[in-house]
Amino acid sequence: MQTTRGSGLAAGTIFIGGGTTMRDQLDDRTRRLQDEAARERLAGPREGLRQHVGHALIAVGRAIHGLEPEPGQRTVLPVR
């Protein structure tokens, strides 16, 4: 079995030719990833589906069971 990428090329296939070298390709990819990371940092945090689902589950649990009571104060043991 051979893994392929979207273009149908083997996943491990590397083309070196046409004036481009592997180092140029790596530098280009590194630059693009750094640019993408910088854009995401500027965008700030995002509320995702996981957070919405988690809050909904907590709300359902509170609706069914009610708020949990605060634990009572423990008595202090006498010092000998």
Side-chain angles (χ1 to χ4, degrees), residues 1-77:
M1 184 170 109
Q2 189 173 16
T3 306
T4 59
R5 295 190 190 215
S7 63
L9 300 172
T13 304
I14 298 175
F15 288 99
I16 298 177
T20 60
T21 63
M22 196 157 139
R23 182 179 194 91
D24 292 337
Q25 292 174 356
L26 291 174
D27 291 341
D28 183 52
R29 178 167 286 219
T30 301
R31 183 187 49 77
R32 284 188 284 141
L33 289 173
Q34 288 173 341
D35 291 344
E36 182 182 346
R39 283 192 306 274
E40 287 186 12
R41 280 193 297 272
L42 289 174
R46 295 182 301 225
E47 291 188 16
L49 180 63
R50 179 182 285 183
Q51 183 177 5
H52 289 296
V53 170
H55 286 214
L57 289 173
I58 290 171
V60 168
R62 287 183 178 156
I64 293 171
H65 301 290
L67 293 175
E68 292 187 15
E70 291 286 328
Q73 293 291 330
R74 295 171 127 196
T75 58
V76 179
L77 297 175

